[in-house]
Amino acid sequence: MSPDVLSSTIRSASEVLAIIWTYVHLGQWRTIDAAIACATIWILLQLLRTYCRRLCTTQLRGPPNESFLYGVGQRIRSARDAGALYEAWAQEYGPVYAIPSTLGTQRIMLCDPKAIAHFYSKESRTYIQTPFNKKSFAIYYGKGLLWAHGEDHRRQRKSLTAAFSVAAIRQLTTTFYDSAYKAKGAWDVLIESSGGDSALIEVQSWMNHISLDTIGLAGFSHNFGALEGKHASVTEVFDTFTTSPRAMALNKGLILLGQVFPLLAHVPTSRTKLFQELNVAMEEISNVLLARTKKELEMGVIGGKGERSIIGLLIKGASGNSGFRLTKDEVIAQMKLLLVAAYETVSISLTWALLELSRHPDVQTRLRNELLAHGTDPTYDKLTDGLPYLDAVVHEILRIHLPILEVTRMAVEDDVIPLSQPIRTKFGKLVNNLTIAKGTLVAISMESMNRSAAFWGEDAKVFRPSRWLEDKHGQNGIPAKAKEIPGHRHLLTFVDGPRACLGKNFALTEFKVVLTVLVKNYVFELRDGVNSKIEIGRGVFPRPKLAGEVGCQLPLRARPYVASG
């Protein structure tokens, strides 16, 4: 069947739907009969559209379909290392391939650097969030930056840019230090009260609270008091994400089916209920902070040259006549997104860092020596470009332990994606580019690209920070193939293009500050030794946990560092 014939069939079926409902309104057909008929026709329409898209898209090789209902989706979601699974498929089928998805649909996976660069350059215009994801983001966070695309996205992003500038983050560095030293003070008390020279510290929750208090102060000039044990509704909900295994049990089938039936985003589950509680808590806080900040701006208390909070700068910018003003709902949406993003991503990265340093005492010692040799707390400029081993450790963590593992977008117009090298299609033909039909799902596994042996070498999955230093001295550091990958430092952790992470500089600076304070002052060890079994738990995003612990707990032994001699 040709695409033209299929298009004609789809139009005819749509006309039939209209006729059915006309008869219902005229009372000549029972509503239940009409509903069944319409549901049947609608499903057939979806299948026809799927088939039509496939005919108009380059036919690619890929893994066999394991289930008509879910494709290979269940296998991916249950995999211990989904990135390795994608990597294996890329080795077998080529740097771009098709994987079976829900109800006969497919996703085009991009593992080719040139194709990925093209994809990111057109993200938010040609490739946008899937309808299911857009509905979910609107429900959970509001219609903010994560939800928007096209001109709406450009306007919102422009409004936020000044709040994340180098000058703004430089001023926030002291806030990052304040939170880190609050944690240190609390840890010193715990160690002293333990009656020994060390104490078991559940670092996951402490990193969560450092991140939450930091974004409260840096983002909204508001102290959540998590590090001081104060009760706050948002703290309670965030903690539930990492301590309630039942609440974190994903309804995998619902999420997979949602890519075909977007309205399933509204179906209540234990996870969506928790997100709704988080949404209510964040909206309450956001409304209070927004009203207070606006009042202070009107009174001239904040908003001048000394204003440091992100929301203060955002409201100040949104109040101007730049043409990029945000509505109140959009401002609140950015605040809710900022809370979740800053809380989750930085706390996860810090937890992974302390875990890897505990696994690799030699790396921990080398990092501590560099920090101690510097002496005083590093300034923003020194953190950015003056502590090479700290920088190497941070980027190695971001390379192998990403908070967000993959991304899927839908093409809203036909496109042609260029390739770095020719590939062989499903029918054996060599092509230099991909034809993508409107409506096709295109995806990237950032985890796979960051850890692929084809790009990073045989030790790609090994935590080895020195690779970032060797490259500067002409040694075997970052392979030439890896340098073809777009993104910050050839990593897809912060993605790329118009949707590249706006808070990258914020996250990197906070990450380095907290790591500096903790590593200078403590020696970390795994509770059960370097061979302790680590599992992946689930908060909003995947997190490390010590095997056997409830929720996402990761207890490490910390003892104050005492210089020898």
Side-chain angles (χ1 to χ4, degrees):
M1 188 183 294
S2 70
D4 289 340
V5 173
L6 281 171
S7 297
S8 176
T9 303
I10 290 172
R11 285 195 298 272
S12 298
S14 300
E15 291 170 0
V16 171
L17 285 174
I19 292 171
I20 289 174
W21 284 111
T22 298
Y23 276 102
V24 170
H25 288 306
L26 293 175
Q28 298 178 18
W29 202 343
R30 290 191 309 163
T31 303
I32 185 65
D33 294 331
I36 293 172
C38 287
T40 302
I41 294 173
W42 186 86
I43 291 172
L44 291 174
L45 279 174
Q46 300 311 305
L47 294 175
L48 282 170
R49 288 193 178 100
T50 297
Y51 187 51
C52 186
R53 281 196 294 270
R54 285 199 176 188
L55 286 181
C56 299
T57 297
T58 302
Q59 302 293 291
L60 298 169
R61 298 183 298 154
N65 196 354
E66 298 178 358
S67 163
F68 174 74
L69 190 59
Y70 299 125
V72 294
Q74 293 282 40
R75 183 179 176 187
I76 292 169
R77 286 194 167 270
S78 61
R80 172 65 177 81
D81 187 348
L85 185 60
Y86 286 124
E87 183 181 357
W89 284 335
Q91 290 174 346
E92 184 174 357
Y93 302 111
V96 292
Y97 57 92
I99 60 173
S101 192
T102 309
L103 293 176
T105 61
Q106 67 175 9
R107 287 194 299 161
I108 304 300
M109 297 300 302
L110 305 181
C111 305
D112 178 288
K114 190 173 183 179
I116 290 172
H118 173 88
F119 169 88
Y120 280 136
S121 71
K122 302 186 77 172
E123 197 180 7
S124 94
R125 291 184 292 111
T126 300
Y127 300 100
I128 69 169
Q129 299 281 5
T130 65
F132 176 79
N133 287 345
K134 279 184 73 73
K135 286 183 181 296
S136 298
F137 293 147
I139 293 169
Y140 300 148
Y141 311 118
K143 297 182 178 181
L145 196 63
L146 200 60
W147 170 89
H149 69 270
E151 184 59 32
D152 210 25
H153 176 267
R154 190 179 78 88
R155 175 180 57 82
Q156 292 194 28
R157 189 178 176 92
K158 183 72 174 178
S159 297
L160 286 160
T161 300
F164 289 97
S165 66
V166 170
I169 304 305
R170 180 181 280 110
Q171 288 194 39
L172 290 173
T173 304
T174 55
T175 303
F176 301 152
Y177 275 114
D178 288 343
S179 293
Y181 275 110
K182 277 185 182 179
K184 177 189 177 301
W187 288 13
D188 287 344
V189 171
L190 287 174
I191 293 171
E192 184 177 350
S193 62
S194 70
D197 63 349
S198 65
L200 279 176
I201 305 290
E202 203 293 281
V203 296
Q204 186 96 245
S205 61
W206 280 99
M207 296 308 102
N208 292 345
H209 293 168
I210 287 174
S211 296
L212 185 59
D213 277 4
T214 297
I215 192 56
L217 292 167
F220 319 115
S221 297
H222 173 81
N223 184 13
F224 286 110
L227 290 168
E228 301 160 17
K230 293 181 180 178
H231 172 78
S233 56
V234 70
T235 311
E236 187 175 293
V237 176
F238 271 128
D239 284 347
T240 303
F241 270 103
T242 56
T243 58
S244 175
R246 184 176 180 183
M248 289 304 99
L250 289 174
N251 189 332
K252 299 176 182 178
L254 189 66
I255 291 176
L256 292 170
L257 289 173
Q259 300 306 322
V260 176
F261 305 107
L263 287 177
L264 291 178
H266 297 280
V267 174
T269 65
S270 58
R271 186 169 175 80
T272 56
K273 182 181 178 182
L274 201 55
F275 262 114
Q276 287 166 357
E277 290 176 11
L278 179 61
N279 189 47
V280 170
M282 288 191 299
E283 186 146 359
E284 288 176 356
I285 293 168
S286 298
N287 274 312
V288 171
L289 297 177
L290 182 61
R292 189 197 70 197
T293 304
K294 281 190 171 181
K295 183 177 180 180
E296 290 175 343
L297 277 169
E298 291 169 358
M299 296 173 63
V301 177
I302 65 172
K305 292 183 178 180
E307 169 56 26
R308 297 197 299 177
S309 76
I310 292 172
I311 188 60
L313 291 171
L314 174 59
I315 295 172
K316 180 184 177 183
S319 300
N321 298 314
S322 61
F324 296 104
R325 294 184 63 180
L326 301 181
T327 65
K328 176 185 175 182
D329 287 343
E330 287 172 339
V331 171
I332 291 177
Q334 315 306 350
M335 294 170 71
K336 290 190 288 188
L337 177 59
L338 184 60
L339 272 171
V340 174
Y343 172 88
E344 279 285 306
T345 57
V346 177
S347 65
I348 291 172
S349 295
L350 282 166
T351 303
W352 272 116
L354 295 180
L355 171 58
E356 290 292 4
L357 292 175
S358 299
R359 279 171 162 174
H360 301 86
D362 55 329
V363 175
Q364 185 179 162
T365 299
R366 182 175 175 181
L367 175 58
R368 183 178 297 108
N369 289 340
E370 178 183 78
L371 296 171
L372 291 171
H374 179 266
T376 58
D377 287 336
T379 62
Y380 169 84
D381 294 317
K382 195 70 175 180
L383 289 165
T384 303
D385 187 22
L387 294 164
Y389 200 63
L390 173 63
D391 188 74
V393 168
V394 164
H395 282 88
E396 186 70 347
I397 290 294
L398 294 173
R399 186 183 71 83
I400 63 175
H401 297 302
L402 303 76
I404 302 173
L405 307 180
E406 63 180 84
V407 62
T408 298
R409 298 287 185 260
M410 184 181 71
V412 291
E413 60 187 14
D414 295 341
D415 191 29
V416 177
I417 299 178
L419 303 173
S420 300
Q421 59 188 44
I423 63 161
R424 199 168 293 280
T425 69
K426 185 177 182 179
F427 303 110
K429 181 182 178 182
L430 280 175
V431 296
N432 293 302
N433 52 55
L434 302 179
T435 300
I436 301 294
K438 178 182 177 180
T440 302
L441 298 180
V442 181
I444 298 170
S445 168
M446 291 90 77
E447 180 187 26
S448 175
M449 293 299 294
N450 276 16
R451 302 173 60 184
S452 170
F455 292 97
W456 294 91
E458 294 181 359
D459 66 348
K461 295 170 184 61
V462 176
F463 176 69
R464 189 171 70 83
S466 60
R467 76 178 76 240
W468 297 93
L469 303 180
E470 292 168 355
D471 189 54
K472 293 183 179 180
H473 297 91
Q475 301 174 26
N476 296 326
I478 309 303
K481 285 288 292 180
K483 292 180 180 179
E484 296 176 6
I485 301 173
H488 171 74
R489 303 287 285 274
H490 316 296
L491 300 176
L492 296 185
T493 309
F494 297 105
V495 303
D496 200 24
R499 295 195 85 99
C501 178
L502 193 60
K504 177 190 70 178
N505 200 22
F506 182 104
L508 285 171
T509 307
E510 182 186 356
F511 191 173
K512 290 181 178 181
V513 164
V514 176
L515 208 55
T516 294
V517 172
L518 298 182
V519 173
K520 279 174 67 173
N521 289 282
Y522 302 100
V523 176
F524 296 95
E525 300 170 351
L526 280 162
R527 186 190 65 187
D528 304 322
V530 293
N531 294 320
S532 298
K533 185 179 179 182
I534 303 300
E535 298 176 342
I536 301 299
R538 183 83 190 190
V540 178
F541 302 125
R543 290 171 169 269
K545 59 171 288 187
L546 195 61
E549 291 292 325
V550 176
C552 293
Q553 293 189 19
L554 185 68
L556 297 179
R557 184 162 296 281
R559 57 184 172 82
Y561 170 74
V562 179
S564 59

